[in-house]
Amino acid sequence: MMWSFFVSFAWLVLGYLAGSFPTAYLIALRLRGIDIRTYGSGNVGATNLGRLMGKKWAFLVAIVDMLKGGVAVLMIRLFGASDVTVAMAAFAAVMGHNYPIWLDFKGGKGVSTTYGTLFFVAPPGSMIAVPLGGLVWLIILKIGGYVSLASILSLFGLAFILPLCGVPAPFALSAFGLAVLSTWRHRANVKRLLSGRESRARSK
């Protein structure tokens, strides 16, 4: 019993540490000599790095942020961890991105990492559901023009899409929790949306 608890806890720590890899921070610091936390929104994520270095770098950061949590979750699943442990490790990976120990627990908003971790939690269902969630994100972005709104709504949508694709309940619950977490991390954006002051995504 104790050994099982220790192993499960170790998987959660691994998920957190994998998610805490500060991709945008390191790229901005190494290539521009800038602490991304002092630029733009101060967010350590793809969107803010895109403001500093352009869409290509934002895309690269988004991909790495997806993979860092996703690969960790895939490895944990391949080692035979239970659904509950894998779901908790997915949540821990996003917590690592949002609250990285290396950056005084001040990280990003976790959207890319959420998509990356959930993609691998329960193949093949999750591998179908996550792209559908990404499609929801794209549609909302095209209609409204707000990255923050598209991110929040698509994550809640994904929490409902997962069980429709046959993904077990622990992962849907984890997805819903991550959607709530993302909403909290976007709380400043939500306030600006409600007051009409949120900036729209630039088309170029």
Side-chain angles (χ1 to χ4, degrees), residues 16 20 22 25 35 37 44 95-107 185:
Y16 172 84
S20 70
Y25 172 81
D35 184 340
R37 296 171 297 176
V44 185
M95 288 292 288
H97 175 82
N98 291 354
Y99 304 101
I101 190 173
W102 329 110
L103 301 179
D104 299 322
F105 302 102
K106 297 176 181 178
R185 295 294 290 170

Side-chain angles (χ1 to χ4, degrees), residues 13-30:
V13 172
L14 174 64
Y16 172 84
L17 292 177
S20 70
F21 180 78
T23 316
Y25 172 81
L26 291 176
I27 289 177
L29 188 65
R30 295 294 183 182

Side-chain angles (χ1 to χ4, degrees), residues 27-174:
I27 289 177
L29 188 65
R30 295 294 183 182
L31 299 184
R32 292 291 178 87
I34 294 174
D35 184 340
I36 192 68
R37 296 171 297 176
T38 65
Y39 181 85
S41 65
N43 185 54
V44 185
T47 301
N48 199 34
L49 187 77
R51 298 187 185 104
L52 176 66
M53 299 179 63
K55 287 186 177 181
K56 291 182 180 179
W57 286 103
F59 179 76
L60 174 63
V61 167
I63 293 299
V64 175
D65 284 349
M66 287 179 183
L67 289 175
K68 67 184 183 183
V71 171
V73 166
L74 178 61
M75 184 178 72
I76 293 167
R77 169 159 287 288
L78 291 176
F79 270 86
S82 68
D83 285 352
V84 172
T85 298
V86 175
M88 292 176 65
F91 196 95
V94 181
M95 288 292 288
H97 175 82
N98 291 354
Y99 304 101
I101 190 173
W102 329 110
L103 301 179
D104 299 322
F105 302 102
K106 297 176 181 178
K109 296 177 180 176
V111 178
S112 295
T113 308
T114 295
Y115 272 104
T117 56
L118 293 177
F119 184 78
F120 289 107
V121 289
S126 60
M127 291 183 170
I128 297 171
V130 169
L132 291 175
L135 181 60
V136 172
W137 179 88
L138 183 61
I139 291 171
I140 295 173
L141 179 64
K142 290 293 185 182
I143 293 173
Y146 298 108
V147 174
S148 56
L149 183 63
S151 299
I152 294 169
L153 294 182
S154 69
L155 290 181
F156 278 107
L158 181 57
F160 288 98
I161 293 170
L162 284 167
L164 295 177
C165 292
V167 175
F171 304 114
L173 290 173
S174 181

